[in-house]
Amino acid sequence: MDFSKSLTLWIVCLCLLKGSWTAQTISDPPNIDNGVSELCRIDEPHCRDGNTILSFEAIRSIHKQMDDDANGNVDVSETDGFLREDLNYNDPKAKHSSFHGDDQFITVEDLWNTWKSSEVYNWTTDEVAKWLNDYVELPQYQEGFSKMQFNGSVMPRLAVKNTTLTMSILKILDRSHVQKLQLKALDTVLFGAPPMNKHNHLKDFMLVVSIVIGIGGCWFAYIQNRYSKEHMKKMITDLDGLQRAEQSLIDLQKK
Ligand SMILES: *[C@@H]1O[C@H](CO)[C@@H](O)[C@H](O)[C@H]1NC(C)=O
Ligand SMILES: *[C@@H]1O[C@H](CO)[C@@H](O)[C@H](O)[C@H]1NC(C)=O
Ligand SMILES: *[C@@H]1O[C@H](CO)[C@@H](O)[C@H](O)[C@H]1NC(C)=O
């Protein structure tokens, strides 16, 4: 199970890497400017803020990865393909509705607005630390995160390939860790806060329940066994008594 999980992760990562590489090589310098003016059109109050610009660039890059036919909109079939191939969800219908709603198409603006209304966007640095620990399961990079004061708004930047950020700033040298972080950040950006603790609680609960059932079963079997033994003993003594009574009856008849 562990093996198939890591294999899946690898395949997904390769797809993402391919996507972000092409996205970077095709359009770098003219795109930045484009992005800022687009951000100013969509979100005027925040378009001078460096952090917001970086997050917006990341959202644009995610949108580009999803927009297979590059027509500027991500339609339902593209989301389907993205979910199936890139994130390996077997039943993408359930996830669709979370960002398609009634619309057939999503633009960069929709994606940005969806992201901004996500509770993750308002996460504090502590909540991001908890996410890194419980969901990504890479607590060893906590230091870099707290040094950078990364809060929830940084999530889209973690979801796209950026070696400056991962290698130089966060000091993540293991490529598989970089990819794991990228993948989980992408999931969190697109589908909101993951069920972190609930999952573990459910697991613990199931474990306790199965232990209780196991112990209960043994106890029941033991009690049953003891009861039937006692029952047998009683029956045998009863039989003995009956036999003795019969014997005395025969003796009496003989007399
Ligand atoms: C995030 O915080 C801002 C400012 O406090 C608030 O206006 C916004 O509604 C919050 N968003 C969510 C999804 O909680
Ligand atoms: C998150 O961090 C950015 C940059 O450090 C800051 O502008 C923003 O206000 C912070 N958001 C919250 C919810 O604290
Ligand atoms: C990568 O991250 C660094 C640091 O956050 C940032 O300065 C740079 O603009 C990012 N590069 C891209 C292509 O987004």
Side-chain angles (χ1 to χ4, degrees):
M1 168 160 156
D2 229 348
F3 173 73
S4 72
K5 233 167 116 184
S6 54
L7 185 71
T8 312
L9 205 65
W10 260 102
I11 292 170
V12 170
C13 289
L14 286 179
C15 293
L16 286 178
L17 279 181
K18 207 187 81 204
S20 56
W21 256 328
T22 45
Q24 267 182 357
T25 45
I26 292 170
S27 49
D28 237 342
N31 215 20
I32 302 273
D33 204 41
N34 235 345
V36 174
S37 54
E38 190 175 357
L39 177 59
C40 284
R41 184 176 60 74
I42 295 171
D43 197 350
E44 167 70 55
H46 299 112
C47 74
R48 310 261 165 265
D49 175 42
N51 267 304
T52 312
I53 293 171
L54 284 175
S55 295
F56 184 72
E57 280 301 325
I59 289 283
R60 263 165 55 100
S61 164
I62 292 170
H63 186 269
K64 199 164 192 168
Q65 278 177 48
M66 296 171 74
D67 185 13
D68 282 343
D69 56 13
N71 67 352
N73 289 314
V74 176
D75 58 35
V76 171
S77 70
E78 280 169 339
T79 334
D80 216 79
F82 182 77
L83 292 174
R84 265 189 226 283
E85 291 159 25
D86 295 6
L87 286 180
N88 204 32
Y89 284 114
N90 290 327
D91 181 20
K93 282 212 182 68
K95 290 248 173 186
H96 260 167
S97 50
S98 65
F99 59 84
H100 268 302
D102 290 334
D103 285 338
Q104 282 282 335
F105 303 104
I106 38 174
T107 60
V108 175
E109 181 172 354
D110 296 335
L111 201 57
W112 178 247
N113 289 333
T114 308
W115 160 239
K116 283 195 75 173
S117 63
S118 160
E119 65 171 295
V120 180
Y121 180 80
N122 276 357
W123 270 1
T124 61
T125 48
D126 285 345
E127 282 168 307
V128 172
K130 193 170 165 357
W131 172 83
L132 187 65
N133 185 52
D134 295 358
Y135 182 59
V136 191
E137 294 169 330
L138 294 174
Q140 62 267 47
Y141 303 112
Q142 208 78 77
E143 205 181 312
F145 274 72
S146 42
K147 209 182 267 170
M148 290 301 291
Q149 295 269 300
F150 275 170
N151 61 23
S153 70
V154 83
M155 200 62 77
R157 287 163 62 192
L158 300 174
V160 295
K161 186 177 159 24
N162 182 338
T163 28
T164 319
L165 181 64
T166 49
M167 296 272 190
S168 320
I169 298 177
L170 297 175
K171 308 258 183 291
I172 308 176
L173 301 180
D174 188 331
R175 281 181 65 114
S176 69
H177 289 178
V178 171
Q179 284 156 355
K180 190 173 175 191
L181 177 69
Q182 190 185 342
L183 198 64
K184 298 231 166 175
L186 183 61
D187 188 304
T188 309
V189 168
L190 294 178
F191 308 119
M196 290 188 286
N197 261 0
K198 265 184 251 159
H199 191 69
N200 287 344
H201 279 258
L202 184 67
K203 250 188 187 163
D204 289 350
F205 177 71
M206 293 309 284
L207 191 68
V208 168
V209 165
S210 50
I211 288 173
V212 165
I213 289 175
I215 291 176
C218 288
W219 184 73
F220 184 71
Y222 172 73
I223 293 290
Q224 278 286 325
N225 192 10
R226 217 175 63 171
Y227 176 76
S228 65
K229 265 187 191 154
E230 271 170 12
H231 196 71
M232 279 294 260
K233 235 197 244 164
K234 196 162 161 278
M235 246 168 64
I236 288 169
T237 44
D238 283 357
L239 269 175
D240 270 358
L242 206 68
Q243 229 167 22
R244 256 183 271 121
E246 208 182 341
Q247 194 60 50
S248 54
L249 193 71
I250 293 170
D251 288 350
L252 208 69
Q253 271 177 347
K254 272 186 191 156
K255 277 184 196 164

